[in-house]
Amino acid sequence: MALYNFKKITVVPSAKDFIDLTLSKTQRKTPTVIHKHYQIHRIRHFYMRKVKYTQQNYHDRLTQILTDFPKLDDIHPFYADLMNVLYDKDHYKLALGQINIAKNLIDNVAKDYVRLMKYGDSLYRCKQLKRAALGRMCTIIKRQKQSLEYLEQVRQHLSRLPTIDPNTRTLLLCGYPNVGKSSFINKVTRADVEVQPYAFTTKSLFVGHMDYKYLRWQVVDTPGILDHPLEDRNTIEMQAITALAHLRAAVLYVMDVSEQCGHSLEEQVELFRNIKPLFANKPLIIVANKCDVKRIAELPEESQKIFETFEAEGFSVIETSTLTEEGVIQVKTEACDRLLAHRVDTKMKGNKVNEVLNRLHLAMPTKRDNKERLPFIPEGVVARKKRMEVDTPRRKLERDLELEMGDDYILDLQKYWDLMNSSEKYDKIPEIWEGHNILDYIDPDIMRKLEELEKEEELREAAGEYDSEPESEDEEMMEIRQLAKQIREKKKLKILQSKEKDTRGPRMPRTAKKVQRKVLEKEMTDLGLDMTNKDDAHYVRRSRSATRKRKRDESETPKSVARSRSSSRTPRDVSGLRDEKMVKKVKTMAKKAQKKMNRLGRKGESDRHIFDLKPKHLLAGKRKSGKTQRR
């Protein structure tokens, strides 16, 4: 049997929205321009396409609705009966049947009009056939207005239904209103069902989930049931009856011992007898709730006999209080254990278990004799264990302290710090000091290493390692030092001179300043460098090449003025460019820059284009009153 996910049913639009959506989609997705001078087969195809597209659109949407909604014959009987109680099975089937008929009618209308359109002999007739086809389809949808509205309401309600698995392990709570069913489910699960001091606070089924023995359990809270015939029960009560009839669950029949719910014990017992046939083949526990107000032992003898009768019939009675949580866990544990045992028994009675048992063999070992054989521990192990035992008491671990102190325990690891001064254990240590991470510099042996370093330094000083001998330097070294000092001083003076200059005026780049050879050689001579015989130096060659004029090659005398001008001038697209590689790069950049302009200037298919400046069908003849739309 199929289990439906009711939350994934697509939204059912109203009849007006249905028509608007379909026609607008047809207008958007099909061609919109046609002229009467086109060939007739092209005109027919144009309008046929619109009719077929509209029909297909209606067909797909209606099929989606029929597919998404659950079929009552295919789903679990619990859901089928629940939908019958909530939405009326006949009305539901009728609405889906009307939608199915509408789908078939639309298909037939499209088929008929496409057949007629094959014989259309003009644009006008084809257009009128298309209008008639679309109009009839829309009329069929308009007639389904009520069915579509009803199905949308059903969809919204279905999506809000709790997800109940009819085949999983389930605990089912039932009883009179206001006896404490919702309070019980709030205690044993993570559900949050509303609890109020009046009857019928719970008007529909609620589901909570819990874990027991590493298994997932669902607990179903049903609305209250009153004691009257089945025909007189309303929709709220019938939901509880449906759950009791179809869910394979452990039933917890909740009774209010204090009678604060407004119903006496006799009435509650009468209801139990009335719905007892629904408890057949299900584990049953009677929960005597509100024992914090009144216990069974405090009841009159007649009332106590009621519970004794239950126990005599084999039903277990457990006193609980959802206020003090007394007995709640006991009820949960016993109900779950009983249901597990019941499910195992049910499976054992089935046919499938025999196939499995035939493949299993349980081997049980038998005793050889009656001699008792104790476990053997080697003497070495016993001796080692004795040696490990000491008389000193065992040191208390942090775990032992935590168990002793309970909630007052606070983990304190600083008390174990081994410091020279124990009073500094709880001093605050900064993490960052002068931009450095302190933990990078922590070294327990830092003091010892410092002492060793200081001793080594004293020995080096005593040996005279750091003593310098002024006589060791020769005269050449002294001259180099003196020259370097002069260069540094000259550099400082130049920097100061440049700072005093007017910086607000225009500046030339350093490379553009020309230094005369005489100035350069004079400055270098003042600094102590020998600048004689420097004709082949690099700065001399560079300055000469810059000033020397290029010698012109001898060439033939040009025959014409224009030819002489063209031969001397470089082409514009390569003037100012260094080499062939740079020319290619410039051309690529120019092409990329022009790309956007080319794209903007190119004509596209959406541009308006009039083939004839004065088309006859737009300008000839009288225009009468009415629409000017010609499509």
Side-chain angles (χ1 to χ4, degrees), residues 8 121 128 188 229 237 262 320 373 385 453 512 564 597 602:
K8 289 190 176 178
D121 55 357
Q128 293 304 102
V188 297
E237 294 174 87
T320 62
R373 291 176 174 83
K385 194 174 181 183
L453 201 62
S564 66
M597 295 298 292
R602 195 176 296 142

Side-chain angles (χ1 to χ4, degrees), residues 177-352:
N178 207 24
V179 295
K181 300 185 294 297
S182 299
S183 302
F184 185 87
I185 192 175
N186 287 346
K187 292 293 179 187
V188 297
T189 69
R190 289 182 285 276
D192 186 17
V193 185
E194 186 184 3
V195 177
Q196 295 293 343
Y198 50 80
F200 287 108
T201 311
T202 306
K203 295 179 182 175
S204 62
L205 298 174
F206 282 90
V207 182
H209 293 87
M210 65 177 188
D211 293 326
Y212 178 72
K213 287 189 176 179
Y214 304 102
L215 296 171
R216 199 75 170 153
W217 297 71
Q218 65 181 9
V219 184
V220 181
D221 179 23
T222 61
I225 308 171
L226 297 176
D227 185 22
H228 46 66
L230 188 67
E231 301 80 30
D232 299 339
R233 290 198 167 100
N234 58 20
T235 306
I236 297 174
E237 294 174 87
M238 284 305 295
Q239 292 180 56
I241 298 297
T242 305
L244 282 168
H246 293 292
L247 293 179
R248 295 190 300 167
V251 180
L252 305 179
Y253 184 75
V254 186
M255 296 178 68
D256 184 1
V257 182
S258 65
E259 299 181 355
Q260 289 180 348
C261 62
H263 301 280
S264 64
L265 274 175
E266 287 74 16
E267 290 176 350
Q268 296 179 54
V269 172
E270 189 61 35
L271 174 65
F272 177 80
R273 302 292 179 198
N274 192 356
I275 61 175
K276 191 177 177 182
L278 298 172
F279 303 151
N281 299 323
K282 291 174 188 166
L284 174 65
I285 294 175
I286 294 168
V287 181
N289 199 19
K290 302 186 184 178
C291 70
D292 56 309
V293 179
K294 188 181 284 188
R295 293 186 173 276
I296 295 175
E298 298 171 7
L299 295 173
E301 289 186 8
E302 295 177 0
S303 301
Q304 290 183 23
K305 284 181 181 177
I306 293 171
F307 292 101
E308 290 173 4
T309 309
F310 282 145
E311 289 177 350
E313 292 177 7
F315 304 129
S316 66
V317 179
I318 302 174
E319 288 185 275
T320 62
S321 168
T322 52
L323 185 67
T324 62
E325 297 189 14
E326 180 189 342
V328 172
I329 301 301
Q330 184 186 350
V331 170
K332 167 188 160 183
T333 307
E334 187 164 342
C336 293
D337 290 339
R338 283 196 177 196
L339 183 61
L340 284 174
H342 176 74
R343 286 166 70 93
V344 170
D345 291 342
T346 309
K347 287 176 182 175
M348 292 294 288
K349 291 174 184 175
N351 296 327
K352 289 183 180 178

Side-chain angles (χ1 to χ4, degrees), residues 396-411:
K396 280 190 177 180
L397 303 175
E398 287 295 316
R399 176 66 178 159
D400 303 330
L401 291 173
E402 184 182 359
L403 294 173
E404 261 184 38
M405 299 171 71
D407 295 336
D408 300 330
Y409 172 75
I410 298 171
L411 181 63

Side-chain angles (χ1 to χ4, degrees), residues 427-476:
D427 288 356
K428 289 186 178 176
I429 303 173
E431 292 183 8
I432 304 295
W433 182 263
E434 294 182 355
H436 299 290
N437 189 352
I438 284 180
L439 291 176
D440 292 343
Y441 299 94
I442 288 177
D443 188 353
D445 301 330
I446 188 73
M447 298 304 292
R448 182 179 56 78
K449 289 178 181 177
L450 182 62
E451 287 176 7
E452 291 176 0
L453 201 62
E454 286 176 349
K455 286 178 182 177
E456 186 181 344
E457 203 68 20
E458 287 174 5
L459 291 171
R460 286 188 177 188
E461 285 180 3
E465 188 173 340
Y466 300 119
D467 296 341
S468 60
E469 298 177 5
E471 296 82 8
S472 60
E473 292 184 355
D474 55 356
E475 291 181 2
E476 188 181 351

